[in-house]
């Protein structure tokens, strides 16, 4: 059968089914079955249960529920309360300090949690009311939490990177190492932006500055001990090569229980809620992976991958233009589609092209992840927007949230540009560690 | 006079019948939802078990020098149980995400149609293939007495593989309950 026709049919029907709102896992799963049966061979369908089982029972994927549980438990341990208190004493005297401190906490949280929800929800509950009470403009207060929270998938550990790494066949450890500096760069850009806005337009960051003595600041360091210990154990064991990603996730999951116990929040209700939240989010992720697991084999076998590859490589334009084009597609998909769906659909096509063009797989992976991070913030479909809407006071509309993230999205796009110009920002750590 | 009475009686009978049908439907939906939720909630605690197993294995390996190879297998199988048994509850809770750019703008009737027609067609293809081939996959493993290749613990693999078709049956029940609810709500709405 003609690969051009199959490619058009495959992507056309996929687009249609997803656009009318069929659940992603079901749309991808059903279409794969129909396409394999119709255009390849009914026998090829036997790979479906094999792939479903091997994805669901893979030790490498174990990190996904365990890191999600860690985040869910940390969120319930109210560790963020201590962090917020310490941050307030350190940054209270700086213009825009509460917002800058919020970004700092989100960065630290991102180094403990592999998803964006935990930091976004915790800081949405704590920091936004505090900032609004001190006359911060809505745009800054909402934007810094939504954008800061999205760092969770870029700064290791990261659930999204586990999925990307296994689908793209790139080392998850190297991706983790590669995400550290770009994550810090983005956090720094956010802080500089908030500070500069505060200097130019003092009214957007409220009026009251509260300074604390050094004694008070030192006393607040206590709140940082537990989180930093967790970061060091989880990231240290993983990046130091002592534990695999899944093992580090188990240590983190265990550590989050201890953290909750230390904070006196370990009880039946919090554990049960965290367990339930974890299974719902994990199944959402895994069933998309299962639904789409045979998709890439199908389009490789039918020659669709090679067709797209030769079409794009045949364009004979500068490779950076192709790279920019791929990222544009990712950004557009990020507005409407879930991250796991985007990875399952685009990675089998994009990664071979990127490799053929001579790009480093880890570097490309990090650019991909930053684009996904932006996808968490771009309306209409952006997880962080929904998380935030769920916890902010009712006077704040979804429109307020949409508007608040715009400058932060532009900063992240700038960060993508910086990482493209200076690939060493991404590559220096993975090259040094592995 | 007699005619009116019998007509009234017939109408009453029709009403009774439809009311009965609705309660039967209600009950079926209730049973499915309760079972699916109970299994999903039960499976959710496997997170703790997986954490404990891996942490204990690490402790045993680093402090006592004995590695438990079977932990890798077993925790992978627990993950399979977790995902397959939890899927139906996730579906029931509406956590199977969709692209909602158009969906949220559709009328409730169109939304119901998307799931009743397109969603159900694709679901039947996907779940049908997984159920049929998944059962065969587990059955073959049972027939050839397949045991775990790693970890030196000779565990029967069919136990883990059978979780796939079981999970798909639960998923089918959850979808059935979902479309029955759509149908019920369609019955009650004035349209």
């Amino acid at each position: 059968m003609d690969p051009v026709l199959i490619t058009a049919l495959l992507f056309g029907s996929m687009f249609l089914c997803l656009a009318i709102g069929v659940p992603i896992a079901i749309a991808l799963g059903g279409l794969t079955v129909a396409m394999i049966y119709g255009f390849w061979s009914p026998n090829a369908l036997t790979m479906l249960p094999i792939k479903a089982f091997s994805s669901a029972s893979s030790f490498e994927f174990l990190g996904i529920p365990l890191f999600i549980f860690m985040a869910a438990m940390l969120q319930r341990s109210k560790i963020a309360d201590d962090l917020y208190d310490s941050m307030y004493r350190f940054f209270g005297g700086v213009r825009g300090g509460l917002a800058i401190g919020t970004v700092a906490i989100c960065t630290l949280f991102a180094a403990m949690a592999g998803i964006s929800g935990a930091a976004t929800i915790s800081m949405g509950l704590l920091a936004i009311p505090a900032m609004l009470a001190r006359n911060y403009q809505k745009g800054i207060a909402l934007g810094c939490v939504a954008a800061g929270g999205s760092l969770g998938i870029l700064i290791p550990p990261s659930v999204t990177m586990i999925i990307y790494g296994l689908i793209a066949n790139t080392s998850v450890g190297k991706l983790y190492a590669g995400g550290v500096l770009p994550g810090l760069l983005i956090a720094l850009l956010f802080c500089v932006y908030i500070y500069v806005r505060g200097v130019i337009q003092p009214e957007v960051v409220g009026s009251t500055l509260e300074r604390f003595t050094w004694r008070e600041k030192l006393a607040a360091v206590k709140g940082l001990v537990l989180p930093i210990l967790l970061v060091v154990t989880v990231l240290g064991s993983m990046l130091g090569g002592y534990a695999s990603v899944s093992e580090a996730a188990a240590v983190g999951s265990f550590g989050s229980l201890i953290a909750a116990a230390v904070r006196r929040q370990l009880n039946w209700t919090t554990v049960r809620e965290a367990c339930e939240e974890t299974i719902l989010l994990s199944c959402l992720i895994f069933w998309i992976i299962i639904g789409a697991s045979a998709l890439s084999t199908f389009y490789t076998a039918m020659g669709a991958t090679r067709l797209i590859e030769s079409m794009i490589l045949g364009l004979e334009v500068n490779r950076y233009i192709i790279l920019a084009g791929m990222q544009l597609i990712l950004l557009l998909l990020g507005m409407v589609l879930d991250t796991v769906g985007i990875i399952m659909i685009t990675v089998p096509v994009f990664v071979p092209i990127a490799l053929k063009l001579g790009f480093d797989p880890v570097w490309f992976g990090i650019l991909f992840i930053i684009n996904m991070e932006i996808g968490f913030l771009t309306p209409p479909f952006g997880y962080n927007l929904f998380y935030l809407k769920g916890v902010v006071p009712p006077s704040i509309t979804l429109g307020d949230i949409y508007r608040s993230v715009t400058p932060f999205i532009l900063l992240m796009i700038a960060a993508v540009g910086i990482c493209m110009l200076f690939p060493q920002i991404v590559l220096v750590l993975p090259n040094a560690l592995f | 006079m007699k005619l009116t009475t019998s007509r009234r009686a017939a109408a009453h009978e029709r009403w009774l019948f439809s009311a009965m049908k609705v309660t039967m439907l209600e009950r079926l939906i209730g049973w499915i939802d309760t079972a699916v939720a109970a299994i999903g909630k039960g499976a959710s605690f496997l997170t703790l078990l997986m954490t404990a197993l891996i942490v204990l294995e690490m402790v045993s390996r680093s402090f006592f020098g004995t590695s438990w190879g079977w932990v890798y297998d077993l925790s992978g199988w627990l993950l399979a149980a977790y995902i397959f048994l939890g899927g139906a509850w996730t579906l029931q809770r509406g956590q199977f995400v969709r692209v909602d750019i158009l969906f949220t703008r559709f009328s409730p009737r169109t939304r119901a149609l998307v799931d009743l027609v397109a969603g159900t067609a694709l679901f039947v293809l996907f779940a049908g293939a997984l159920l049929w081939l998944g059962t065969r996959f587990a059955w073959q493993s049972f027939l050839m007495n397949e045991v775990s290749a790693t970890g030196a613990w000779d565990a029967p693999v069919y136990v883990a593989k059978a979780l796939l078709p079981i999970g798909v049956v639960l998923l089918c029940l959850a979808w059935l309950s979902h479309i029955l609810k759509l149908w019920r709500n369609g019955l009650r709405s004035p349209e």
Side-chain angles (χ1 to χ4, degrees):
Chain A
M1 187 110 186
D2 182 22
V4 179
L5 190 64
I6 291 186
T7 311
L9 216 59
L10 175 67
F11 286 98
S13 52
M14 198 148 72
F15 180 77
L16 183 74
C17 290
L18 290 176
I20 60 171
V22 178
I24 299 169
I26 293 169
L28 296 179
L31 283 175
T32 314
V33 171
M35 292 272 162
I36 293 180
Y37 191 88
F39 298 123
W40 192 3
S41 115
N43 284 333
L45 279 177
T46 45
M47 74 173 156
L48 215 68
I50 300 175
K51 284 188 176 268
F53 181 73
S54 72
S55 309
S57 64
S58 121
F59 189 75
E60 281 72 35
F61 273 139
L62 252 173
I64 297 175
L66 298 182
F67 275 133
I68 294 175
F69 178 78
M70 180 183 178
M73 205 60 224
L74 283 177
Q75 185 192 322
R76 284 171 181 75
S77 74
K78 301 214 167 80
I79 213 171
D81 294 36
D82 290 349
L83 284 174
Y84 191 76
D85 185 51
S86 321
M87 180 279 289
Y88 188 63
R89 297 191 191 188
F90 278 97
F91 292 96
V94 181
R95 206 158 267 305
L98 288 189
I100 293 173
T102 301
V103 172
I105 296 182
C106 286
T107 312
L108 190 62
F109 229 96
M112 294 187 284
I115 50 174
S116 73
T120 313
I121 292 170
S122 302
M123 295 321 282
L125 286 169
L126 274 173
I128 290 179
M131 282 189 271
L132 293 179
R134 287 175 181 77
N135 295 323
Y136 273 62
Q137 191 207 46
K138 275 190 279 191
I140 293 281
L142 297 170
C144 74
V145 172
S150 76
L151 288 168
I153 69 165
L154 178 61
I155 295 178
S158 156
V159 165
T160 313
M161 282 185 193
I162 299 181
I163 304 166
Y164 178 89
L166 289 175
I167 303 300
N169 215 356
T170 307
S171 146
V172 180
K174 283 187 184 175
L175 285 171
Y176 277 8
V180 175
L181 292 180
L184 293 177
L185 169 73
I186 291 176
L188 183 70
L189 288 178
F190 289 169
C191 293
V192 170
Y193 163 75
I194 295 165
Y195 185 75
V196 170
R197 278 275 319 253
V199 170
I200 302 173
Q201 300 170 280
E203 70 277 9
V204 301
V205 293
S207 42
T208 42
L209 296 182
E210 284 173 75
R211 287 180 205 286
F212 291 85
T213 62
W214 276 106
R215 186 188 295 272
E216 285 168 315
K217 285 182 188 171
L218 278 178
V221 171
K222 203 176 62 191
L224 293 175
V225 173
L226 204 57
I228 288 178
L229 217 62
L230 261 177
V231 172
V232 170
T233 347
V234 175
L235 288 189
S237 63
M238 207 157 39
L239 297 178
Y242 302 107
S244 68
V245 172
S246 301
E247 286 169 340
V251 172
S253 152
F254 184 63
S256 70
L257 287 168
I258 295 181
V262 172
R263 293 282 292 96
R264 297 183 190 285
Q265 300 291 333
L266 186 66
N267 56 50
W268 175 241
T269 315
T270 51
V271 173
R272 188 175 48 94
E273 280 176 5
C275 282
E276 291 180 358
E277 185 187 320
T278 307
I279 198 170
L280 291 173
L281 192 50
S282 306
C283 285
L284 147 67
I285 293 172
F286 271 91
W287 279 93
I288 295 177
I289 296 177
I290 292 170
S293 59
L295 190 68
S296 68
T297 320
F298 169 71
Y299 55 74
T300 312
M302 291 293 105
T305 315
R306 241 173 308 132
L307 174 82
I308 298 174
E309 220 179 275
S310 62
M311 250 164 56
I312 289 176
L313 297 177
L315 290 174
E316 302 208 349
V317 291
N318 184 297
R319 59 181 186 149
Y320 285 94
I321 293 177
I322 299 176
L323 182 67
M326 289 196 278
Q327 295 193 80
L328 188 66
I329 294 175
L330 291 178
L331 288 180
L332 291 175
L333 287 175
M335 292 181 184
V336 293
L337 195 59
D338 162 78
T339 322
V340 187
I342 299 176
I343 292 177
M344 298 306 290
I345 294 170
T346 61
V347 160
V349 180
F350 282 7
V351 170
I353 295 177
L355 295 183
K356 278 260 168 65
L357 291 172
F359 291 125
D360 184 280
V362 174
W363 179 72
F364 181 77
I366 296 299
L367 294 182
F368 194 110
I369 299 289
I370 303 178
N371 281 293
M372 293 300 96
E373 205 190 332
I374 298 173
F376 270 70
L377 297 178
T378 44
F381 187 93
Y383 279 116
N384 277 23
L385 309 171
F386 304 150
Y387 291 143
L388 212 51
K389 182 68 188 106
V391 294
V392 290
S395 63
I396 288 168
T397 64
L398 209 48
D400 288 331
I401 299 177
Y402 286 176
R403 275 187 296 278
S404 74
V405 292
T406 317
F408 293 94
I409 291 173
L410 294 175
L411 288 170
M412 287 158 93
I413 294 176
V416 172
I418 297 173
C419 290
M420 284 169 70
L421 280 176
F422 306 102
Q424 282 311 313
I425 296 175
V426 176
L427 292 174
V428 68
L429 270 181
N431 288 344
L433 288 172
F434 293 97
Chain B
M1 179 71 196
K2 198 164 185 244
L3 197 78
T4 8
T5 325
S6 75
R7 205 182 272 165
R8 210 180 272 163
H12 183 71
E13 200 168 84
R14 267 205 307 276
W15 176 82
L16 253 184
F17 185 64
S18 73
M20 220 161 66
K21 225 167 56 182
V22 168
T23 43
M24 288 269 287
L25 191 69
E26 243 18 271
R27 237 185 252 164
L28 180 64
I29 292 174
W31 282 334
I32 294 179
D33 286 0
T34 313
V36 160
I39 293 171
K41 286 179 187 174
S44 78
F45 293 107
L46 290 177
T47 335
L48 301 175
L49 190 56
M50 293 186 279
T51 303
L53 269 179
I54 298 175
V55 170
L56 287 176
E57 198 276 337
M58 290 174 80
V59 170
S60 150
R61 187 159 32 106
S62 4
F63 295 107
F64 306 103
T66 42
S67 174
W68 306 340
W70 50 270
V71 162
Y72 296 93
D73 261 3
L74 182 60
S75 49
W77 293 4
L78 289 174
L79 179 64
Y82 188 73
I83 298 307
F84 293 142
L85 299 180
W89 188 41
T90 312
L91 180 68
Q92 184 200 98
R93 293 279 301 259
Q95 300 271 330
F96 270 44
V97 284
R98 39 178 122 226
V99 176
D100 58 1
I101 182 164
L102 296 175
F103 197 75
T104 46
R105 291 190 183 121
F106 289 159
S107 66
R109 198 185 153 84
T110 316
R111 262 186 253 172
L113 278 177
V114 167
D115 275 3
L116 283 170
V117 181
T120 303
L122 290 162
F123 183 84
V124 166
L125 282 170
F126 179 45
L130 271 185
L131 184 59
W132 166 240
L133 297 164
T135 309
R136 217 174 60 181
F137 179 60
W139 182 241
Q140 276 165 355
S141 165
F142 175 73
L143 285 184
M144 62 188 189
N145 286 319
E146 185 188 3
V147 291
S148 180
T150 51
W153 64 314
D154 289 342
V157 180
Y158 80 89
V159 177
K161 287 185 174 172
L163 291 164
L164 170 60
I166 294 172
V168 177
V169 169
L170 290 172
L171 210 59
C172 291
L173 287 174
W175 186 262
L176 180 70
S177 151
H178 174 61
I179 56 176
L180 284 178
K181 275 179 224 159
L182 290 174
W183 187 60
R184 175 195 67 187
N185 297 345
L187 272 184
R188 283 192 186 155
S189 71
E191 282 176 318

